[in-house]
C-alpha cells in the first residue's frame, strides 16, 4: 500500500514553455502533499506544502508564480513550472501523507526536467 | 529551526559486514519523529525505518536498526549483513509534531553507501 506515482518521469522542454508534473496517491487519500527539488548528489529541498482544497504554502525563496501548485482532489496534486528556463532543470519529487494523524510521507519516483 | 547533520558524505562496507551511518540533529522540541530514507540509483525514496522520540526503545526493521540517543540528539542507522542492494544514498530526516510544522521533513545532506562484493 501507500503508492505514489508521478507523471511524466522525464520531460524535456524548450526555454519559455510551461511544464506540468502530476503527483497521484494511488491507493490512499492524501490531504497533504509535498513538492521537493533535488540537485545531483544533493539532499531534497522542500519547495511547498500542498493541502487539498486550499492554497499551497511555499518555502522561503521559492517563487509561487513560477512554481504553480494545485491540489484539487485528495489523490492529485500538480506542479506547473511556468516559463521554464535552463536553471529550472532539476529532479522534482513529490510525497504524500496518508492523513493528518500519521507521520510518514511516501514518495513518488520523481520527474527529471530538462530545459533546453 | 531544526537542522539535521550527516557528517559522512561517503561510506563503504564489505558485503555481509555491518556498517553504521551517523546522524545528529538540533531541536528544542521534546516530541518529534526521525526517519531514515534510502535513495537507490533509481532515485525512488524508500522509507527504511522510523523512530518516535517519546519511545525509548530503538526501532528495528530486519537488518536495519537505529541507535537513538535523545539527550545527545543522535540517530544512527546500523545495517547488518550488508547486501549489494543496500548500496544507495541514505538520508536522515526530522519531523516536528504535526501542530507546529504541518508535517514537513528536514533532511540531512545524505551519506552515499557503497557495498563491495
Amino acid at each position: 500500500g501507500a503508492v505514489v506515482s508521478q507523471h511524466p518521469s522525464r520531460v524535456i522542454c524548450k526555454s519559455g514553455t510551461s511544464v506540468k508534473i502530476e503527483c497521484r496517491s494511488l491507493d490512499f487519500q492524501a490531504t497533504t502533499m509535498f513538492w521537493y527539488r533535488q540537485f545531483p548528489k544533493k539532499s531534497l529541498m522542500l519547495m511547498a506544502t500542498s493541502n487539498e482544497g486550499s492554497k499551497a504554502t511555499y518555502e522561503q525563496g521559492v517563487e509561487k508564480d513560477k512554481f504553480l501548485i494545485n491540489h484539487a482532489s485528495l489523490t492529485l496534486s500538480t506542479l506547473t513550472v511556468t516559463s521554464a528556463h535552463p536553471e529550472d532543470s532539476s529532479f522534482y519529487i513529490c510525497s504524500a501523507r496518508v492523513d493528518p494523524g500519521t507521520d510518514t510521507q511516501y514518495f513518488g519516483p520523481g520527474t527529471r526536467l530538462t530545459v533546453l | 529551526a531544526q537542522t539535521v547533520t550527516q557528517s559522512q558524505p561517503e561510506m563503504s562496507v564489505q558485503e555481509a559486514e555491518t556498517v553504521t551511518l551517523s546522524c545528529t540533529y538540533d531541536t528544542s522540541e521534546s516530541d518529534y519523529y526521525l526517519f531514515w530514507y534510502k535513495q537507490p540509483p533509481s532515485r525512488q525514496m524508500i522509507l527504511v525505518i522510523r523512530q518516535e522520540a517519546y519511545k525509548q526503545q530503538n526501532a528495528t526493521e530486519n537488518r536495519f536498526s537505529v541507535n537513538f540517543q535523545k539527550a545527545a540528539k543522535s540517530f544512527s542507522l546500523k545495517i547488518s549483513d550488508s547486501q549489494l542492494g543496500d548500496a544507495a544514498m541514505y538520508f536522515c530526516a526530522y519531523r516536528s509534531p504535526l501542530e507546529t510544522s504541518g508535517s514537513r521533513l528536514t533532511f540531512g545532506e545524505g551519506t552515499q553507501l557503497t557495498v563491495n562484493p
Side-chain angles (χ1 to χ4, degrees):
Chain A
V3 178
V4 177
S5 70
Q6 275 184 247
H7 179 80
S9 57
R10 289 176 176 266
V11 58
I12 301 172
C13 69
K14 293 183 179 180
S15 185
T17 61
S18 294
V19 175
K20 180 184 285 188
I21 302 170
E22 293 185 347
C23 177
R24 293 182 184 272
S25 55
L26 298 185
D27 51 2
F28 65 98
Q29 292 186 330
T31 55
T32 304
M33 290 185 172
F34 304 85
W35 287 96
Y36 296 86
R37 184 172 180 177
Q38 186 180 31
F39 292 102
K41 297 187 179 181
K42 294 293 185 181
S43 188
L44 281 71
M45 181 189 77
L46 180 64
M47 299 175 65
T49 302
S50 169
N51 292 299
E52 187 267 337
S54 62
K55 291 184 178 180
T57 302
Y58 290 82
E59 295 300 302
Q60 191 172 8
V62 178
E63 300 176 60
K64 59 182 180 181
D65 294 330
K66 173 78 171 173
F67 299 99
L68 300 178
I69 291 172
N70 183 278
H71 193 162
S73 78
L74 287 171
T75 60
L76 173 64
S77 177
T78 60
L79 168 67
T80 301
V81 183
T82 62
S83 186
H85 291 285
E87 58 265 30
D88 299 324
S89 298
S90 191
F91 193 68
Y92 293 88
I93 306 175
C94 74
S95 70
R97 196 180 73 218
V98 176
D99 63 56
T102 68
D103 55 272
T104 301
Q105 293 183 24
Y106 296 93
F107 286 80
T111 296
R112 174 165 302 287
L113 170 63
T114 303
V115 185
L116 303 177
Chain B
Q2 292 80 23
T3 59
V4 178
T5 302
Q6 292 178 248
S7 59
Q8 307 153 316
E10 298 178 346
M11 290 283 285
S12 64
V13 63
Q14 290 296 126
E15 194 176 4
E17 295 190 347
T18 297
V19 64
T20 298
L21 308 184
S22 300
C23 173
T24 59
Y25 56 94
D26 185 26
T27 184
S28 58
E29 297 170 325
S30 60
D31 189 19
Y32 47 86
Y33 302 87
L34 296 165
F35 304 84
W36 278 98
Y37 280 91
K38 167 185 176 181
Q39 188 179 41
S42 67
R43 306 292 293 271
Q44 171 75 61
M45 293 284 284
I46 301 167
L47 176 65
V48 175
I49 201 165
R50 58 190 283 269
Q51 173 83 42
E52 293 93 336
Y54 64 86
K55 290 186 177 179
Q56 293 186 346
Q57 186 174 6
N58 289 323
T60 62
E61 286 288 340
N62 301 314
R63 297 182 296 106
F64 299 87
S65 62
V66 298
N67 183 2
F68 174 48
Q69 301 289 328
K70 190 172 184 179
K73 298 179 183 176
S74 171
F75 183 61
S76 61
L77 174 69
K78 184 172 81 171
I79 306 174
S80 304
D81 186 24
S82 297
Q83 301 176 359
L84 295 177
D86 295 333
M89 179 74 90
Y90 286 81
F91 292 101
C92 178
Y94 172 101
R95 207 218 89 185
S96 293
L98 176 64
E99 297 77 15
T100 63
S101 73
S103 193
R104 61 189 299 167
L105 289 173
T106 301
F107 286 92
E109 288 302 308
T111 297
Q112 181 67 51
L113 178 66
T114 301
V115 181
N116 300 309

